[in-house]
Amino acid sequence: MTVQIVNNRTVLGGVEGDMLQCLADKLNFEIELFLSPNDRFGSRHSNGTWDGIIGLVQSGAADIGVQSLSISEERMKAVNFSIPYFVLQKAFIAKELGLMPKITAFTYPFSLNVWILYVLMILAATVLFQRVIFRNTTLLGSFLWVLGSIASQPMGNIRDTPWRRVLLGFWLTIAVALPFFYKTSFLSYLTMPEKEPVPRTFEELSKVVLSGKYKCLTLKGTIDRQLLRESESEYMVKLGEIIEKNDWEFLYGQKLPDLLDDPVALITARSGMRLFFGSPPYINVRESDDNLGVWYSGIAVNKEFCCRERLNDVLHRINNGGFFNKWLNSNSFATTLKNRLEVKHEEPESQLKLQDLKLAFFTLFCGYALAFLAFLAELWIPKRFVPQ
């Protein structure tokens, strides 16, 4: 909700502001706004009293309370609620950190498990071929033959029998297929690099936060920390404890895009993400795949409020007419349009540059250097050290 004073008249904006103004026009009442004294939505203290918006409504200082208040059994003991008008999904967002460096792109085509399996397969083939396929070959010689077959080099010194041909055929098929898949994937990674990975689930977020790679902020005044600490999942509890320990929180009044410049995740409602960041493809933030929780949002009313039925009647019409979603989409579109106007046109760079291939050239030159050293060793080492 936004509040502006225009010609001594209060003008409400935002999704909740549009809804409240619609209610005022339909039910013919004047709006007098009371802000939460401690910037909280409503939490119960140990003595049974409530703070925030719920406290204002319970005490009678305000007749109704808005701002996407989630309906809970605990809150309904202090105040009444209208019918739900929105589904509140709590998730987190994190900024995409940019492209992965091309210099290490040679490792991207295969995952770590595939690389380990590939190495183990080469070692197993080395031992097996040294004992079964090759004639009078050392383990080093067998390893060089196997490694050369992967690089499309012929294999020699082979015992030629039918069943050995079958075994060798299986290996050559693998030696041809895997490098082919690697080369095609490698070129695609060089021309279109992947983006740096960001946490996608709360479990992944908990791991990176506990390792010190990320911070996680909760909206001030919400009960998100309490929900995390009371979760049945251990990683949720640990995440809530470290957030509480460091007192990580944010306000909607802050410039949220600036908060995400560092490795930071924000826990908030998905609708809030659309309102403050807009919609793809003009945003560079990513929502989590799972939710902290899902609740219904309603308007809190005092226990003695006289017009709850009339309020529910208008809310029912708003829901059926799709007005709330229309207000949400309109405000989200305004944010998206603003972000679109701020985007500078840049020509995409998909060509390969020398710096992208410097690791490949470095590896090539190292190979040449080792080959040259081996050549010098053959010339300088006396003949008597060479086995006859």
Side-chain angles (χ1 to χ4, degrees), residues 192-203:
M192 295 294 292
E194 283 286 314
K195 293 185 177 180
E196 291 279 0
V198 296
R200 303 296 300 272
T201 63
F202 273 93
E203 185 173 4

Side-chain angles (χ1 to χ4, degrees), residues 200-245:
R200 303 296 300 272
T201 63
F202 273 93
E203 185 173 4
E204 294 178 2
L205 177 63
S206 179
K207 291 179 181 179
V208 295
V209 170
L210 292 175
S211 64
K213 297 179 181 178
Y214 265 78
K215 293 182 180 180
C216 182
L217 281 61
T218 58
L219 180 61
K220 184 178 180 180
T222 62
I223 58 173
D224 294 342
R225 299 182 186 181
Q226 178 184 346
L227 295 174
L228 288 169
R229 295 195 308 268
E230 295 176 354
S231 173
E232 297 179 356
S233 302
E234 184 179 358
Y235 60 86
M236 288 281 201
V237 176
K238 292 182 178 180
L239 179 60
E241 289 175 350
I242 193 171
I243 293 174
E244 185 73 30
K245 178 181 178 182

Side-chain angles (χ1 to χ4, degrees), residues 3 35 86 122 141 216 223 237 292 301 314 356 368 387:
V3 182
L35 300 180
F86 191 67
I122 293 174
C216 182
I223 58 173
V237 176
L292 173 61
V301 298
V314 178
D356 300 328
Y368 285 157

Side-chain angles (χ1 to χ4, degrees), residues 139-177:
L139 280 176
L140 179 58
S142 177
F143 175 74
L144 293 177
W145 283 118
V146 171
L147 201 61
S149 67
I150 296 176
S152 302
Q153 299 298 315
M155 301 176 71
N157 197 25
I158 299 174
R159 298 174 183 176
D160 190 7
T161 59
W163 71 271
R164 287 187 174 91
R165 293 177 187 173
V166 174
L167 180 61
L168 187 61
F170 278 123
W171 170 253
L172 292 179
T173 302
I174 297 174
V176 171

Side-chain angles (χ1 to χ4, degrees), residues 12 23 38 41 48 72 112 148 165 209 231 276 280:
L12 303 180
L23 291 172
N38 53 0
F41 293 88
S72 67
L112 179 60
R165 293 177 187 173
V209 170
S231 173
F276 288 97

